[in-house]
Amino acid sequence: MPIQPVQKLTQTFVAIAVLGSAIACQPSPETAENRSPETVTVRSAYVELEGLFVQEVFNIGLERLGYQTADLKQLDPTLIHVAIGDGELDFFAGHWETLYEEFFQRSGGEEKLERVGVVVPDVLQGYQIDKKTAEAYNITNLEQLRDPEIAALFDSDGDGLANLTGCNPGWGCELAIEHHLDNYELRDTVEHDRGSYSALLADTITRYRQGESVLYYTWTPHWLGTVMKPGEDAIWLEVPFTSLPETQGDVTEEETSIGGKNLGFAVDKMRVVANQNFIDNNPTAERFFESVAIPIEDINAQNQLIQQGEDTPEDIRRHAEEWVTENQELFDSWIERSRDEN
């Protein structure tokens, strides 16, 4: 498994220290002896704007239950998990069970954290290319990019290597991509473009619309699926065999396959991860966390609004409020279940 450089780790610890001081002045959850929701301010975070919608749906529910909610913070997944383990944040509703396993364990594991509920089952991640290129050259598997001529089709900077639009350092997915490049013997023909995923993706879409071939990492739910529709504009690439970093556990080919295709990443679950003390002291919130399930199609539809320019935190809060109104009966059932102590 790739090891982060010392500079990266130093930056992470500095960020954690800053986070701790920033959150320290906020009210902490009450103890079990005084756990009325009205006395508790719940603190949470999100990774990117596409994940803010789900967090806001949870916050709306917590507010309906009487909790106060602190302003949401935008942080890398590593920092979110560390902050929850340290009691500086209370929960995160975008925890991918397999992908974030290393972050979960390094932040205290089951002694400090608890996974609750399933917000979205069968979330996917993997590699896609544009359908036009796939059909023209009969490309179906990532290992075909070992061929320099095939790889060169996706070269956007003139060095002869395929440019793979990857993901932000610190998200966890970049470790799996780096692992794949080594284990599928693609280092000589593919380069992993890392940085701001949103910026990289904007460039990828522009190149696609200009008729160029594109290769990129993606996941669901994400608005990209409404722009590069699988089966119409793009195809998922298979991988030659299942191989993931040891920190993700012993993942089998069956667990990385869906619809007969091995995508190379675990078909995952998006869950709530929460501070153990918070869960112990707030059974009402725990029951709410257990209840919430949001259709992936609804998340994709909201994410498309972000892509169309409704991308401020205020816009996304409004989207969440509109979703609650449109699903009022279901939402109310979650609230009633959460209030029921029996």
Side-chain angles (χ1 to χ4, degrees), residues 59-168:
N59 271 5
I60 291 169
L62 291 169
E63 291 160 9
R64 278 278 303 276
L65 290 166
Y67 291 95
Q68 304 297 312
T69 57
D71 290 341
L72 286 155
K73 296 186 176 296
Q74 185 172 12
L75 301 167
D76 283 346
T78 312
L79 294 177
I80 290 175
H81 287 78
V82 170
I84 292 173
D86 289 347
E88 294 166 351
L89 292 175
D90 300 311
F91 85 100
F92 170 50
H95 172 80
W96 286 45
E97 186 172 56
T98 302
L99 179 63
Y100 293 155
E101 175 65 17
E102 179 179 7
F103 301 158
F104 182 86
Q105 297 300 338
R106 287 189 174 185
S107 301
E110 293 182 357
E111 287 188 14
K112 292 186 175 182
L113 307 172
E114 183 168 337
R115 295 171 171 129
V116 188
V118 177
V119 184
V120 185
D122 296 340
V123 287
L124 306 178
Q125 51 183 326
Y127 306 102
Q128 292 185 357
I129 62 172
D130 62 285
K131 187 178 179 181
K132 180 180 177 181
T133 303
E135 292 181 341
Y137 294 90
N138 193 28
I139 304 171
T140 60
N141 197 298
L142 189 68
E143 72 174 339
Q144 292 175 257
L145 273 76
R146 290 182 190 172
D147 183 340
E149 292 185 4
I150 295 294
L153 297 170
F154 304 97
D155 175 19
S156 63
D157 57 12
D159 63 1
L161 303 179
N163 288 89
L164 167 62
T165 298
C167 67
N168 293 42

